[in-house]
Amino acid sequence: MALDPVDAVIVGAGGGGGVVAYELAKAGWNVVLLERGRAQTFAETGHSELHSQRTTVLGNAFGPDDTRHLRIREAENGRWVKVLPSDGAYNNVAACVGGGTLSYGAMAWRFLPKDFQMRSTYGAPAGSTLEDWPLRYEELEPYYAKAEWEIGVSGKAGANHFEGKRSKDYPMPPLPFNREASLLAPAARKLGWHPFPIPMAINSIPYQGRPACVQCPHCVGFRCEVDAKSSTAVTVIPRAIATGHCKLRTECVVKEVLLDKKGDARGVAYFNADGELVEQLARVVVVAASATETPRLLLNSKNAMHPNGLGNRYDWVGRNLQGHAYSGAFGLFEQETWDGVGPAARVALCDHNHGNEGCVGGGMLANEFIRLPYLFARSVRPPGAPRWGQAHKDWQRRWYKRSMGVKGPVQEVPRWENRVEIDPVAKDAWGIPTLRLSGRKHPSDLKTGKYVAARAAEWLRAAGAIEVVETLPGMGLSGGQHQAGTARMASEAKLGVVDRDCRVFGTSNVYIADGSVHVTNGGFNPSLTIQALAFRTSERILAAGHPGKRG
C-alpha cells in the first residue's frame, strides 16, 4: 500500500529526528515522523527503580522489548551470539517518542573546539581511524545556541574555563549546587582545577510553558513527572504537530529506504502498528534512528546504484562505532554526602579533556546522578565489601548516604574494525535482517581512562573521602546511549558516508540526523551536539531547493 507523497519522511522521533520534524514543519513542509516505539506517559513507569531505563532487570522501561528485537554480537571467543535489548551487550537506545531524551540524565554539553580537530591535535594512533571533522566548532556554534534556546538548557555562560566562544547566554540560570557539589567544588579549586555547574536540559525556572525542576531523585532513567526535562517529546515534537504540517506515527518499523533508478530516495517502506507493509512516498528522507539502527537501515536499502547498501560505495557505513570509555572513582566519606536533591549531578570540570600527558584526548568529570538503592547495591565497592546477606544490608545502610561517585565519558579513539553490519541469517519479528556488532576499544582508550580515573580519585580524596576505588573501562565494544560514528561526516565520498550538510553521498535527498555522523564523539554526553547538527541539517535541507519546498 502506497500512501500519498509528503515533502519529508523522518525515521526516528528522538533527539535529532524531533528537531528536523519541527524545523521542516515550521517552514510549511508536510512531514511524516515515524517512530518504532510508543508515546509513553509518566504513569506507565512512575518512580519504580525496577522500571527505569538504567535498570533492565525487568526489561527496558522505554523499549525496545525483548520479544520482537534481537541483535548478534561477537563474543570474546570470536563466536556470534544472540543478545536481547535488556542485555548490556545489545547497546540499546530507548525506543519511544523522544528516544533517549525521554529518560536521559539531560546533561547538555557543547563539544570543545579541539574535539573537532582530534587528528590535527594528536595525530592518528596506529590502528585507528582518528580524523578531524570537516567543520569546526565555530561553524556549529550558532546551532548550539539555537538548540539551547529551542530545547531549553540551564547553565552559566563563561563558567567553563575551557569552552569555546559563545554568541549567546543560556536561556536559564544553572540548577543550584547540592551537598555533593558543595563539597567537590572547593576541593577542585584546592587542586588548581576549574569546577562549574553542569549545563542541563532541565528547567531551572519555568520556561516555554513547562515548570521548573522539582528536584526529585528520580531523573536519569525516568520520564520527568512534571516535564521539566527538555525531551523532544515535550518540546519540539509537540510544536511540530501544532503547526498542522507534521503527522507522528508510532509503532512503525521501517524496513528500507525506497530508491529510484538514479539512486535517490522516493520514500520508505515500513510496517505499521497493525503489521501491514506500507510505502510512504516522500521527496526527502531523513534517517535519525541511532548510530546502530541507522546503518542497519542503510545497509538493508539496496538497488543497482547502491548494491552494497545506501551510501556504502566505499564501505564506510557501519564502521567506527564508538561510545565513551567511562572512567572515574567511587569514594566513602565519614559524613553524609547524600541529600536526596535530584538530579544530583551538579558540578563538573573540563581540566582533563585535553592536554593529558601521553594521552589522546580525555573527558570531563562530574559527580554522578543519584544512585537509587538497587543500582547502588550492584555498583562498585571497595575490595572485600560484602555483597550478600546481613553483612551486605549493614554495609548498604552504613554507606548509602556516605558515598559519592565521580566519573566522565572519556573520548574513544575510533577503529575501522568496530562496526555494525547485517547478519546473514538472523531477522527480527518483522522479518527484517538484524544487525550484528563486533570490535573492541583501542588500547589508547584504557590508557586515557586510567589517567582520568586517577584524577577522579584525587578529586574525591581532596573532598574528604576516606576510601576510594577507581573505576576503569573494559576493552569491549562501546556504544550504548552515547553511540556514534557509523555514518561518518567527511569532505568527500571516499572518506565517509555524509557530506558537511549530513546528506548521504551518492544521493540528492537522503539526510542523517543522529550521532552516526559524528567523526569523533567528544569527551561529553553527545545529545546537544546531535541536536545542534539537526538544526543545521534542517537549514541545509530547506536551502537545498528540493522540489517539495514550500513558499
Side-chain angles (χ1 to χ4, degrees):
M1 178 173 63
L3 304 177
D4 290 341
V6 294
D7 295 321
V9 60
I10 300 167
V11 182
V19 167
V20 178
Y22 171 54
E23 289 294 286
L24 299 189
K26 190 172 61 172
W29 282 39
N30 289 320
V31 174
V32 167
L33 179 58
L34 300 175
E35 170 54 46
R36 61 177 171 156
R38 299 181 292 110
Q40 291 191 228
T41 65
F42 169 75
E44 291 181 65
T45 49
H47 285 160
S48 168
E49 187 186 0
L50 298 183
H51 292 89
S52 82
Q53 197 68 6
R54 267 196 155 185
T55 307
T56 59
V57 62
L58 299 179
N60 290 314
F62 300 95
D65 61 76
D66 281 355
T67 58
R68 296 178 298 174
H69 302 265
L70 83 156
R71 288 177 177 172
I72 307 299
R73 171 73 182 265
E74 184 183 30
E76 287 290 329
N77 59 10
R79 297 183 62 183
W80 297 101
V81 297
K82 290 182 181 178
V83 289
L84 299 177
S86 60
D87 186 325
Y90 187 92
N91 284 285
N92 177 45
V93 172
C96 59
V97 176
T101 69
L102 191 68
S103 57
Y104 70 163
M107 289 192 188
W109 292 99
R110 296 180 175 207
F111 286 3
L112 300 179
K114 281 186 178 177
D115 293 330
F116 295 90
Q117 298 173 273
M118 289 293 288
R119 182 168 181 144
S120 296
T121 303
Y122 297 100
S128 82
T129 50
L130 191 65
E131 191 50 85
D132 292 346
W133 289 53
L135 57 80
R136 296 198 173 193
Y137 169 85
E138 290 75 13
E139 295 177 74
L140 195 57
E141 196 284 332
Y143 305 95
Y144 273 130
K146 185 169 185 175
E148 288 166 350
W149 282 78
E150 289 281 5
I151 300 295
V153 175
S154 57
K156 184 177 181 182
N160 181 357
H161 181 77
F162 301 94
E163 75 173 354
K165 289 185 178 179
R166 302 179 61 90
S167 60
K168 210 171 182 180
D169 201 347
Y170 290 99
M172 293 176 280
L175 293 163
F177 275 3
N178 58 0
R179 189 179 296 171
E180 287 190 2
S182 298
L183 289 168
L184 286 167
R189 293 190 195 98
K190 196 163 56 180
L191 292 167
W193 299 342
H194 304 81
F196 60 94
I198 301 170
M200 304 289 284
I202 295 176
N203 285 3
S204 59
I205 57 175
Y207 186 70
Q208 293 180 330
R210 294 180 292 114
C213 173
V214 296
Q215 302 188 8
C216 80
H218 305 86
C219 192
V220 65
F222 299 88
R223 174 170 179 155
C224 178
E225 64 183 295
V226 298
D227 288 341
K229 188 187 297 186
S230 302
S231 166
T232 54
V234 299
T235 54
V236 288
I237 292 175
R239 283 181 234 157
I241 295 170
T243 65
H245 293 292
C246 176
K247 293 180 179 176
L248 171 63
R249 297 177 189 158
T250 60
E251 299 183 81
C252 295
V253 178
V254 178
K255 175 175 176 282
E256 62 181 316
V257 177
L258 301 170
L259 300 168
D260 64 19
K261 292 180 180 177
K262 295 188 298 181
D264 287 333
R266 58 185 183 86
V268 301
Y270 70 93
F271 292 96
N272 65 19
D274 296 322
E276 300 167 325
L277 186 59
V278 177
E279 290 188 358
Q280 176 58 67
L281 306 181
R283 297 176 180 86
V284 170
V285 171
V286 180
V287 183
S290 80
T292 45
E293 291 298 327
T294 286
R296 178 192 180 195
L297 180 56
L298 297 183
L299 293 170
N300 276 329
S301 304
K302 300 178 180 178
N303 75 349
M305 296 298 293
H306 301 280
N308 300 314
L310 179 54
N312 198 34
R313 181 178 179 186
Y314 295 101
D315 195 25
W316 280 95
V317 173
R319 301 284 187 177
N320 307 303
L321 177 63
Q322 57 199 283
H324 282 119
Y326 263 96
S327 307
F330 171 78
L332 302 179
F333 292 74
E334 290 285 6
Q335 77 273 29
E336 288 195 359
T337 57
W338 187 94
D339 60 7
V341 175
R346 294 291 178 90
V347 64
L349 48 85
C350 291
D351 295 74
H352 311 300
N353 282 70
H354 294 284
N356 305 316
E357 187 175 355
C359 297
V360 178
M364 69 85 182
L365 282 173
N367 70 315
E368 245 288 44
F369 291 93
I370 284 183
R371 299 168 301 283
L372 294 173
Y374 180 81
L375 198 57
F376 181 76
R378 293 166 58 92
S379 64
V380 64
R381 290 184 178 184
R387 289 281 187 182
W388 187 253
Q390 188 59 48
H392 154 72
K393 294 176 182 175
D394 292 343
W395 196 94
Q396 183 111 339
R397 287 192 183 94
R398 174 167 175 73
W399 296 112
Y400 182 68
K401 293 185 177 181
R402 294 181 172 83
S403 60
M404 200 189 305
V406 166
K407 67 179 183 179
V410 169
Q411 181 158 194
E412 292 186 359
V413 171
R415 298 178 72 240
W416 179 258
E417 296 81 5
N418 293 359
R419 68 184 303 192
V420 175
E421 55 189 327
I422 300 301
D423 188 83
V425 177
K427 296 180 179 179
D428 62 19
W430 295 268
I432 305 171
T434 193
L435 63 84
R436 67 182 188 187
L437 303 166
S438 58
R440 57 194 291 108
K441 292 187 182 70
H442 191 279
S444 171
D445 299 337
L446 183 58
K447 183 178 182 181
T448 307
K450 285 181 177 177
Y451 180 91
V452 170
R455 302 291 78 71
E458 193 177 356
W459 194 7
L460 287 172
R461 290 192 185 97
I466 56 174
E467 188 168 4
V468 174
V469 182
E470 294 181 13
T471 56
L472 301 174
M475 289 304 293
L477 185 69
S478 181
Q481 297 280 359
H482 292 188
Q483 59 190 247
T486 51
R488 173 176 281 194
M489 183 194 298
S491 56
E492 56 179 300
K494 290 182 179 179
L495 301 176
V497 179
V498 301
D499 64 16
R500 283 168 41 89
D501 294 342
C502 294
R503 177 163 47 190
V504 175
F505 286 118
T507 75
S508 68
N509 63 347
V510 182
Y511 296 81
I512 295 178
D514 58 31
S516 305
V517 304
H518 290 190
V519 179
T520 50
N521 210 23
F524 300 101
N525 310 53
S527 61
L528 191 73
T529 298
I530 291 171
Q531 293 177 323
L533 281 168
F535 278 109
R536 184 177 182 274
T537 299
S538 302
E539 186 179 274
R540 297 300 192 273
I541 294 172
L542 292 169
H546 294 292
K549 184 176 179 181
R550 301 286 182 180

